Amino acid sequence: MKDHEAKKNAETNNENKAEHNSGIKFHLPPGVNFGDIYMDAPQLARELNFGKRTISNMRNSGKISSTTLFGKLFYFRQEIAAILEANRKVRKG
């Protein structure tokens, strides 16, 4: 029984740790997935109902920041949420 529990704990730990062949190591807290923190351009475009080109223009103009990981652009979900909140309009009436 202890061997089964140890194997399960090791699998859980491995799900939250990753290493790319470039030697980059990163760790996500337990219960947190990469997609909970970052989203890629197609996902961001879908969620905001924008075109991919609009996302690219926003990035190039400095309106949103991005990070490149493994040759792919990712956007920080919390930053996008803060931008949306800062530009929220409250309707009167």
Side-chain angles (χ1 to χ4, degrees), residues 12-13 15-18 25-38:
T12 301
N13 288 337
E15 289 173 4
N16 292 327
K17 293 181 181 177
K25 295 180 183 181
F26 57 93
H27 175 76
L28 296 173
V32 176
N33 295 315
F34 186 81
D36 295 337
I37 300 171
Y38 291 100

Side-chain angles (χ1 to χ4, degrees), residues 26-92:
F26 57 93
H27 175 76
L28 296 173
V32 176
N33 295 315
F34 186 81
D36 295 337
I37 300 171
Y38 291 100
M39 65 181 103
D40 62 11
Q43 184 179 14
L44 179 60
R46 261 191 326 274
E47 290 189 19
L48 296 179
N49 199 27
F50 288 169
K52 292 179 197 173
R53 188 69 191 151
T54 301
I55 301 298
S56 177
N57 288 339
M58 291 173 69
R59 183 186 69 248
N60 293 336
S61 69
K63 292 180 181 176
I64 57 175
S65 61
S66 65
T67 188
T68 304
L69 185 63
F70 313 130
K72 189 172 182 178
L73 287 168
F74 291 93
Y75 301 89
F76 191 48
R77 283 184 177 274
Q78 189 172 353
E79 178 186 13
I80 302 303
I83 291 168
L84 291 171
E85 183 64 29
N87 290 291
R88 184 172 62 132
K89 305 272 190 236
V90 179
R91 294 186 183 186
K92 296 181 182 178

